[in-house]
Amino acid sequence: MTGIDRAAANAEAFRRMTAAEPVLVDILPARDVVPGMDRRIVLTSGAPLPWEDYEGGQREGLIGGALYEGWAGTREEAIALFDSGGIAVGACQDHACVGSLAGIYTPSMPVFVVEDRATGRRAYCNMYEGKSRKRLNYGTYDETVHRQLKMVETILAPTLAETVRDIGGVPLKPLMIRALNMGDELHSRNTAASLMFARELTPGFLRLFSKLGSHVEKTVELLTEDHYFFLRLSMAAAKVSADLAHGVEGASIVTAMAFSCREFSIRVSGLDGWIRGPHASVEAKLFDGHDASEITWMGGESPITETIGLGGFAQGGAPTLQAYQGGSYAAMMARNETLYDIVEGENPDYKIAAFGYRGTPTGIDLFKVLKTGILPVMDIGIAGKGGGQIGAGVVSAPMDCFRQAAELYAARYGD
């Protein structure tokens, strides 16, 4: 195909991405709302792989999901069911979901239902398991993790769901805009957003307290015990925003970035499928008692936030990240400024106060990445080989994905 106006296509993809108005409308079991989840299936992060290719913590997360559902009584029984096809493995994004780390979804797990106000398009994200470093999405499943997941399923999710319905939904973009002005970048730091979300629900909590009682108390405790609860909402909001920009003919804008245990991959608006490459490079600050030999990859789709101008693309507004993931604030500011050279434009809503309220760099253009040699950066949690989180850091996408994407673009649209 020739005669494509790439500049116009990219402008349209950018417009769709930034015009999104994501609203949390409900919390429901995945089986009731996520397409294709009404069967024995476990969803995981990254471009799709056959079951036998999953390894390490991502494989353990899949097995843990089967055990949690009660489809198998032992790890060995679960493996046999995956081997035989008795349990299917699915890719989160094929089901309008977005996965944190291993990204494990099973039918009974509750999900946030986030809807774009104008188009009705939906995206889903499962719920934060709690502050313990041992979590299913970090490739760990034991009795402690089982109890955490059951608490989310039976107490947290139903209480939040009734409250969200009571208040008529929660528009997420206004919270995200304010959080960026309060030191969040909405990937590795969600302190302000998590607290503001809890405040939005307070009128509903008060009205429902006589009915729900101790469940409200436990829910408020879980919402405020640490500062990562909002990340799953940020991811779902980013997913629905990026999906609105996907499928624009001729657009070279990146609409997803994801890890699996095997590779890093991207999606591009005007191309089909995933473009796969090697693992990203990482600069990590590890928790005490851990070292670089323990770092492993087990999936992760939270960099969907970076595709819409958040996370690593808003680092300059989150100075406290230097204590969490290493580096200096000066380095974060400098890195953030370089990212304006690889994007379609500045976000009209998400802004960085430290840059004079300049809009965050938004809409990664694969050709600008190749021209400048500047790689997209992402703020992520770091998983360990034995399961669990062992630190945090900054990763850079591999250039190989963008080279391949450019070749595919040329083959489809011409030079």
Side-chain angles (χ1 to χ4, degrees), residues 5-284:
D5 185 342
R6 180 156 55 89
N10 284 347
E12 175 61 14
F14 178 84
R15 184 197 67 78
R16 294 185 190 184
M17 180 181 287
T18 57
E21 292 288 345
V23 178
L24 173 64
V25 296
D26 213 335
I27 297 113
L28 292 165
R31 71 166 72 88
D32 293 344
V33 66
V34 174
M37 285 293 284
D38 55 346
R39 57 193 175 109
R40 283 191 173 189
I41 186 171
V42 184
L43 305 186
T44 193
S45 292
L49 296 171
W51 153 249
E52 58 270 18
D53 283 357
Y54 289 103
E55 61 184 7
Q58 190 160 22
R59 182 181 175 91
E60 294 304 314
L62 288 163
I63 294 167
L67 293 171
Y68 179 73
E69 286 294 324
W71 295 331
T74 66
R75 184 175 180 279
E76 291 70 28
E77 290 175 4
I79 292 171
L81 283 167
F82 281 114
D83 286 344
S84 68
I87 302 174
V89 178
C92 292
Q93 299 214 26
D94 287 347
H95 297 261
C97 295
V98 58
S100 175
L101 266 293
I104 304 301
Y105 286 68
T106 66
S108 67
M109 290 180 181
V111 296
F112 290 119
V113 182
V114 173
E115 182 176 282
D116 174 57
R117 192 192 304 271
T119 65
R121 183 151 193 160
R122 287 184 167 187
Y124 311 95
C125 193
N126 57 5
M127 300 184 72
Y128 181 54
E129 297 173 47
K131 66 180 180 179
S132 171
R133 291 180 187 174
K134 294 174 66 176
R135 305 194 287 275
L136 184 62
N137 72 314
Y138 272 90
T140 300
Y141 185 77
D142 59 15
E143 187 55 37
T144 298
V145 174
H146 179 85
R147 286 197 301 270
Q148 290 169 183
L149 291 170
K150 278 298 177 187
M151 178 274 300
V152 169
E153 182 184 335
T154 61
I155 296 177
L156 179 62
T159 306
L160 284 177
E162 191 154 355
T163 307
V164 167
R165 293 170 199 144
D166 177 79
I167 64 176
V170 181
L172 298 178
K173 199 169 199 177
L175 295 181
M176 295 163 73
I177 291 169
R178 293 178 66 190
L180 285 169
N181 290 324
M182 298 170 72
D184 286 356
E185 40 74 269
L186 293 164
H187 188 167
S188 282
R189 190 183 192 276
N190 287 274
T191 303
S194 296
L195 293 174
M196 286 193 292
F197 178 68
R199 191 190 70 171
E200 287 293 306
L201 299 181
T202 298
F205 286 150
L206 293 174
R207 283 192 292 271
L208 295 170
F209 187 80
S210 61
K211 176 182 178 182
L212 301 176
S214 62
H215 283 198
V216 171
E217 294 180 50
K218 184 63 176 175
T219 297
V220 172
E221 176 189 330
L222 293 166
L223 283 176
T224 57
E225 68 177 355
D226 71 5
H227 308 302
Y228 293 99
F229 189 88
F230 193 85
L231 172 58
R232 306 304 179 87
L233 290 162
S234 176
M235 288 167 59
K239 169 69 173 165
V240 79
S241 303
D243 279 359
L244 287 170
H246 193 71
V248 177
E249 192 73 7
S252 56
I253 300 297
V254 174
T255 53
M257 300 188 288
F259 303 88
S260 73
C261 57
R262 295 280 186 175
E263 61 199 4
F264 181 86
S265 29
I266 64 173
R267 295 173 74 203
V268 174
S269 178
L271 299 176
D272 298 325
W274 289 92
I275 298 102
R276 303 168 187 250
H279 283 309
S281 60
V282 60
E283 299 173 30

Side-chain angles (χ1 to χ4, degrees), residues 283-346:
E283 299 173 30
K285 180 179 180 181
L286 302 181
F287 301 144
D288 290 343
H290 298 281
D291 61 56
S293 68
E294 299 175 65
I295 295 174
T296 190
W297 301 103
M298 60 176 67
E301 297 177 337
S302 53
I304 195 76
T305 56
E306 274 78 2
T307 67
I308 71 159
L310 303 173
F313 285 64
Q315 274 188 7
T320 59
L321 275 183
Q322 61 190 306
Y324 177 57
Q325 62 188 29
S328 70
Y329 187 42
M332 290 162 57
M333 293 273 283
R335 182 189 296 124
N336 203 152
E337 284 193 296
T338 67
L339 298 173
Y340 286 100
D341 292 336
I342 63 170
V343 298
E344 172 65 18
E346 298 181 16

